[in-house]
Amino acid sequence: MARSYVREARRRGLGTRRQRIGPIIERLAVEHADAEIALRFESDVELLISVMLSAQTTDVNVNRVTEKLFVKYRKPEDYLAVPQ
């Protein structure tokens, strides 16, 4: 049977998922207060496209490609109209 980490956390009385994750997020925010997003974007759509591309290559390459891409395609509908 597969091990359930959620069940184990509940058994140990470690609280709900939200209660367990909260302190981790707070520690990460303190430790990495100077963290910045390397991707360049101006809208939520541009951020989404950039993040999807960054899974395949470096942020430097994504920024290089999206510089022209975001001029040509401005809205979600523009991307949907592009044939595969």
Side-chain angles (χ1 to χ4, degrees):
M1 181 174 187
R3 182 174 179 183
S4 170
Y5 294 101
V6 173
R7 189 178 309 128
E8 181 67 19
R10 287 183 183 146
R11 186 184 69 75
R12 292 183 184 191
L14 298 177
T16 65
R17 180 177 186 206
R18 185 175 299 271
Q19 290 168 329
R20 294 189 314 272
I21 292 173
I24 295 169
I25 300 294
E26 289 172 17
R27 283 189 306 222
L28 286 171
V30 169
E31 289 293 324
H32 301 283
D34 59 343
E36 295 180 15
I37 296 175
L39 298 170
R40 292 191 300 255
F41 61 94
E42 293 181 7
S43 69
D44 292 343
V45 171
E46 289 182 2
L47 174 60
L48 175 63
I49 298 298
S50 295
V51 168
M52 291 169 68
L53 292 172
S54 72
Q56 305 302 316
T57 188
T58 66
D59 291 348
V60 171
N61 284 334
V62 170
N63 288 334
R64 189 177 316 137
V65 169
T66 56
E67 186 176 339
K68 293 179 183 177
L69 185 73
F70 294 157
V71 170
K72 187 172 182 178
Y73 304 103
R74 305 295 305 161
K75 304 176 298 201
E77 295 81 11
D78 297 337
Y79 292 95
L80 291 172
V82 177
Q84 287 185 352

